[in-house]
Amino acid sequence: MKKLFLLSAAVMMISTGAFAQSTVVTTTGTSHAAAVQIEPQYRTRIKSYVTEHHLRPVTTKEKIVVGATVPSDVTLEAVPEDWGPSLTKYRYVYSGDRVMLVDPGTRAVVQEID
């Protein structure tokens, strides 16, 4: 009986340790897209700007997506003030029918506006 008790206690300790290990959550990286908030009226202005100014999309070997670095040979355009005061610190690239907001310091795409 003692052996059965010790064996079941050992099994519980091992399974408890395994359970604790399986619940550990590790997060790496940052989400730039979550940090950039664009109100609906500014999204409308951005879409109108693209249409009115007949922007030509840039072409690159790799697809430009959120989190990617824009190649150095691609020109980053200044964000117009009427896109909203919180966006003027960024630059933009028009690629694949989408405006991509870019951090000019790192050239990382922080937000996609479709």
Side-chain angles (χ1 to χ4, degrees):
M1 187 70 147
K2 275 186 171 180
K3 287 183 183 180
L4 181 60
F5 178 73
L6 289 174
L7 183 60
S8 57
V11 168
M12 275 187 79
M13 289 176 71
I14 291 170
S15 67
T16 303
F19 176 73
Q21 290 176 355
S22 67
T23 58
V24 173
V25 177
T26 304
T27 307
T28 58
T30 58
S31 174
H32 295 288
V36 180
Q37 298 296 321
I38 305 171
E39 287 116 20
Q41 73 268 21
Y42 292 124
R43 285 186 180 274
T44 303
R45 287 183 190 167
I46 294 168
K47 290 176 186 177
S48 296
Y49 182 89
V50 169
T51 305
E52 292 168 7
H53 290 86
H54 305 288
L55 296 183
R56 298 173 102 182
V58 297
T59 329
T60 58
K61 290 179 184 176
E62 294 86 27
K63 185 175 180 181
I64 298 176
V65 296
V66 174
T69 302
V70 177
S72 59
D73 61 332
V74 174
T75 302
L76 302 178
E77 302 294 337
V79 169
E81 288 185 24
D82 66 341
W83 286 15
S86 65
L87 301 184
T88 56
K89 65 182 176 182
Y90 298 104
R91 301 294 179 261
Y92 77 91
V93 171
Y94 184 61
S95 174
D97 293 330
R98 290 178 169 80
V99 173
M100 308 301 259
L101 288 179
V102 179
D103 179 333
T106 61
R107 298 185 69 88
V109 178
V110 297
Q111 180 75 34
E112 174 183 330
I113 305 166
D114 54 355

